[in-house]
Every structure is written in C-alpha cells, then in structure tokens.
Amino acid sequence: MRQILVAGNWKMNLLGTAGTALTDGLSAKYPTSSVEILVCPPAPYLASVHAKVSGSAVRVGGQNLYFAPQGAFTGEVSGDMLRDVGCSSVLVGHSERRQCFGETDELLAKKVAAALQHGLQVVLCVGELLAERQSDQTEAVLKKQLTGLSQVTAEQMANVVIAYEPVWAIGTGVTASTEQAQQAHAFLRGELKTLYGEQVAVATRILYGGSVKADNALELLSQPDVDGALVGGASLKADSFIAIIEAGIQAMSRRA
Ligand code: PGA
C-alpha cells in the first residue's frame, strides 16, 4: 500500500519567524503520523526549520538543487549541502523552475541523478500548460517530462515520487477535476510500468498539485492513483495545511 505524502512548497514566501511559527505548530501536532509530511522552505531557512521539526513526523526538503557536487556555481546549492542542513527530500523540475529559469528535461535528469546519489528523496514535478491541454498534448508532454528519470534505475525509483501539477492549476484557484487528476495519474503510472515494470509502477507515489485546498483535498486524495498532494499557497498557513494533512490521514485510513 502506498503511503500518502503531503508536501508543502513554500516557494519564495515566509521570513524566518513566520516559517518557524508555522513549523512549530506542525511539529507539535504531528509527533507521529500515518502520512508522510514534508515542508520545503526557502534555502536560507532549511537548517532552522529542520531544527524545529526534528523529533516530529515532519521532514524538510529543498525546493531545488544543482547537479554538480561543489565548485564555481555562484548562487547554487548541492545535494550534499541539502543533506548537511537536514533535508531528506528535494523538489526537482517544479513548473516555476522550468518556466522562470528555463530548466530543461535534460538538466532535470542530471539533477534527479545527483539528488539520488546524495540519498535525497526526489519529488519530480511534471505537468502540462493550458494550451497543451487544450490541444490534446497532455500525455505527450507528461511522457517527455518523464525523461527526467532517464538516469534512474528501477532500484532507485524507491526514492522517487512524481508530482503531477497541471500548470494551469498552480496558484490560480482552478483545480483539476478529480477525473482529470485521476486520468493523468493513471497515465503516468502506465508510463512508469512501461519504463520500469509493474512492481515499480504500483509502488511509486504520484502526488497531485495545483490549488489543493482544505475543501478539495479529501476528494482528490480519495482517487485510486492520487497518493498525496504538493501544496503551495495553502501550505503557508498552519490551519489550511493541517486540514489537508488531516484529509490525507482520512484517505490513508480508507486505503488500509
Ligand atoms: P498552489 O501551488 O497550491 O499554490 O497552486 C502548488 C505548487 O506550485 O506546488
């Protein structure tokens, strides 16, 4: 049975005190949890957030990394560094990285490989633009974006999570319908089966992201191929993030 993962992507939000206040609340509420809980703060706060959540069920992840282990790459952060400040996960290929910073599937494949080498769990984000959905290219786009896995072995897939985030649903308040989400997730699982076989396809978690809120989380998380949520805006407030985690716990108990 796949364990539900609820991840909060803070993006470039929350200064130090606001972030630690949020994580204080989370770690107090979840000393243990039946779902995996992850928060991804901005890089300068990874260590302080990690210090706040250690001993609880809340894990910390980076929002990005560079593939080289060290060196003259001004402004970048390595997988080693993420590990060093307490991260156990990292987001790779978020649509904002793809769109604002021009990250390609080729670059992302190197980042995925580097993150796995450093023992980080990778959350590889994929998702189509509105124009791509409207011109019926969703599946072709998702298939291409899975080339981010081109250097990943079947064994390493145990440490990979896919996040389906239709770009038109990110930060817009428009959520994919449960049917649209389930359909894309089932397609992705089918592709994983082609790439890695049945066992890996069945074991790999596929999260949904894009305007996940307290009031739509349970329905989304109840879909058979939706194994969690990657939450942006609603992860910035304890109340709304906790409500989504609670929806995850409820969906998890139905899976058991
Ligand atoms: P959103 O962002 O929940 O604010 O739509 C999701 C994401 O970008 O991961």
Side-chain angles (χ1 to χ4, degrees), residues 9 11 94 96 165 169-171 210-212 230-233:
N9 173 13
K11 309 190 181 186
H94 189 278
E96 287 146 21
E165 298 203 298
I170 294 178
S211 299
V212 176
L230 179 54
V231 186

Side-chain angles (χ1 to χ4, degrees), residues 18-249:
T20 48
L22 170 57
T23 36
D24 272 346
L26 287 177
S27 52
K29 178 141 178 85
Y30 298 107
T32 60
S33 168
S34 62
V35 302
E36 233 179 288
I37 305 168
L38 177 68
V39 292
C40 301
Y45 304 118
L46 289 168
S48 54
V49 167
H50 178 254
K52 288 281 176 188
V53 300
S54 65
S56 80
V58 182
R59 295 189 298 106
V60 180
Q63 297 177 10
N64 180 35
L65 84 163
Y66 193 59
F67 63 81
Q70 68 207 19
F73 302 102
T74 301
E76 294 296 317
V77 168
S78 73
D80 234 4
M81 291 170 181
L82 292 179
R83 285 295 300 245
D84 198 38
V85 295
C87 291
S88 55
S89 291
V90 64
L91 307 181
V92 177
H94 189 278
S95 68
E96 287 146 21
R97 298 296 317 171
R98 293 174 187 266
Q99 292 194 298
C100 308
F101 303 100
E103 296 195 357
T104 62
D105 292 316
E106 293 67 33
L107 173 68
L108 296 174
K110 291 185 192 174
K111 292 189 174 201
V112 169
L116 291 170
Q117 267 162 26
H118 289 293
L120 291 161
Q121 176 191 60
V122 169
V123 180
L124 176 66
C125 305
V126 298
E128 80 287 358
L129 303 170
L130 182 58
E132 292 166 338
R133 173 162 284 269
Q134 286 170 338
S135 58
D136 234 14
Q137 293 176 69
T138 299
E139 294 189 349
V141 169
L142 297 181
K143 190 176 167 134
K144 164 120 190 350
Q145 291 177 338
L146 284 183
T147 59
L149 299 176
S150 58
Q151 299 177 39
V152 179
T153 65
E155 247 169 40
Q156 287 177 314
M157 281 301 290
N159 229 0
V160 173
V161 174
I162 307 292
Y164 170 61
E165 298 203 298
V167 179
W168 46 272
I170 294 178
T172 57
V174 180
T175 319
S177 68
T178 47
E179 294 75 23
Q180 286 171 323
Q182 168 56 29
Q183 202 176 11
H185 284 230
F187 172 77
L188 286 164
R189 203 175 298 289
E191 288 300 302
L192 293 176
K193 186 175 168 189
T194 307
L195 293 170
Y196 294 105
E198 175 86 24
Q199 218 180 324
V200 167
V202 167
T204 304
R205 272 125 12 122
I206 306 177
L207 315 183
Y208 171 80
S211 299
V212 176
K213 304 261 178 316
D215 58 4
N216 60 25
L218 184 59
E219 201 188 337
L220 284 161
L221 294 173
S222 302
Q223 300 304 304
D225 286 296
V226 179
D227 307 311
L230 179 54
V231 186
S235 75
L236 300 177
K237 292 219 166 80
D239 294 4
S240 48
F241 195 51
I242 285 172
I244 295 167
I245 296 169
E246 290 298 312
I249 291 170

